[in-house]
Structures are given as structure tokens and as C-alpha cells.
Amino acid sequence: SRLDAAGGHISVISSAFRSAAFLLGLGGITASAQTIINLGTLPSGTVSHGQAVDYGGLHVVGWGDIPTSGAMAFRWALGGGIQNLGTIGPGRYSYGFAISDDGQVVGGRTESHNFRDRGFRWTQPGGMIDIGTLPNGFSSIAYSMSADGNKL
């Protein structure tokens, strides 16, 4: 789980075996002001895991299961629901680890065409883009990113 203070509220992401991740927003300092939002699961999925929340508490990134392929990265948006981010090429899985402050850029890892982990940067208009590896490297993972999403 992760805590993120933003404009007077705290967002908490959690998950448990065979359940959906949830977002807890505290609108004030009293417990009566809290709101719990079930993020749901990907279509046909049974589990979701929230990994990171944006600064405003409006977007969450993580992964959920899909019976035909395994784990898939997702981005959840308040009012928009959960979105499968897919993979690069014929990859069988992806995981979302990081999200920009505005919730528009996601970073994580996916399986590439040669069955190795590759870090990715995802945006709504551009989709999932392989960030490559260091010279002579064969895999990469994007665990975190800058607030503006330009550095992984």
C-alpha cells in the first residue's frame, strides 16, 4: 500500500488475495469524512493490486489478473474506471508501478518480444512504449518516475 498526501486528503491503496484494490480518500481530519472506492478488476479478472496513486488521488496504477494471459497493468481514473494497458508486442504480462502527479503517464514493466522484461512508459495518446535498456543490457523495469512523468 502507499500513502500520498494531496490537497488536504490522503489516498490509500490496498489489496488482498482474491479481491479488488481500493482507494480511501480522507476529505478532512475526521474519520466520518472518508470515502472508500472499490477500483474493481479488469474484465474477467478476480484480483487487482493498486501500486501507486497520483498527487490528486484521481488516478491509480497497478495490475490485475486476466485468466487468458496473467497479470496486466491497469490505470484507474475516478469517473472513468479501470483500463487495461496491455503489453508490448506479444508479451504475456505487464505491471504498472509508477504514475505521474497528474495521472497521465504510467511506468512499469512488460514482457517483450524476446521474453525479457522491458520497462515501459504509457500515455493515453501514445500507448505503451519500450524504454529500452542500458548498453549491453537485456532487460529494464520502470519502478518510479519524476512528478511530470518525463524521467523514469
Side-chain angles (χ1 to χ4, degrees):
S1 65
R2 176 180 172 195
L3 299 176
D4 203 350
H9 80 269
I10 297 174
S11 301
V12 178
I13 306 168
S14 185
S15 62
F17 180 70
R18 300 181 80 54
S19 67
F22 66 89
L23 181 67
L24 172 65
L26 300 178
I29 57 172
T30 65
S32 63
Q34 69 185 355
T35 304
I36 298 175
I37 302 170
N38 182 339
L39 304 184
T41 60
L42 292 167
S44 302
T46 59
V47 177
S48 64
H49 177 87
Q51 183 66 29
V53 62
D54 72 356
Y55 183 79
L58 302 176
H59 301 91
V60 176
V61 65
W63 60 89
D65 70 322
I66 293 182
T68 57
S69 62
M72 284 291 149
F74 71 77
R75 178 178 164 264
W76 176 90
L78 183 65
I82 196 163
Q83 175 183 9
N84 183 343
L85 302 184
T87 64
I88 294 174
R92 296 171 293 175
Y93 59 82
S94 62
Y95 297 88
F97 294 127
I99 193 163
S100 62
D101 277 359
D102 66 2
Q104 301 306 303
V105 183
V106 172
R109 88 176 204 212
T110 185
E111 183 182 54
S112 68
H113 67 282
N114 61 0
F115 305 107
R116 301 209 185 251
D117 282 341
R118 282 300 181 95
F120 70 81
R121 181 178 187 270
W122 177 94
T123 62
Q124 187 75 41
M128 190 176 286
I129 298 170
D130 185 338
I131 63 170
T133 65
L134 293 172
N136 300 318
F138 58 86
S139 66
S140 62
I141 299 175
Y143 282 118
S144 62
M145 70 174 47
S146 61
D148 65 5
N150 288 327
K151 297 177 186 72
L152 299 170

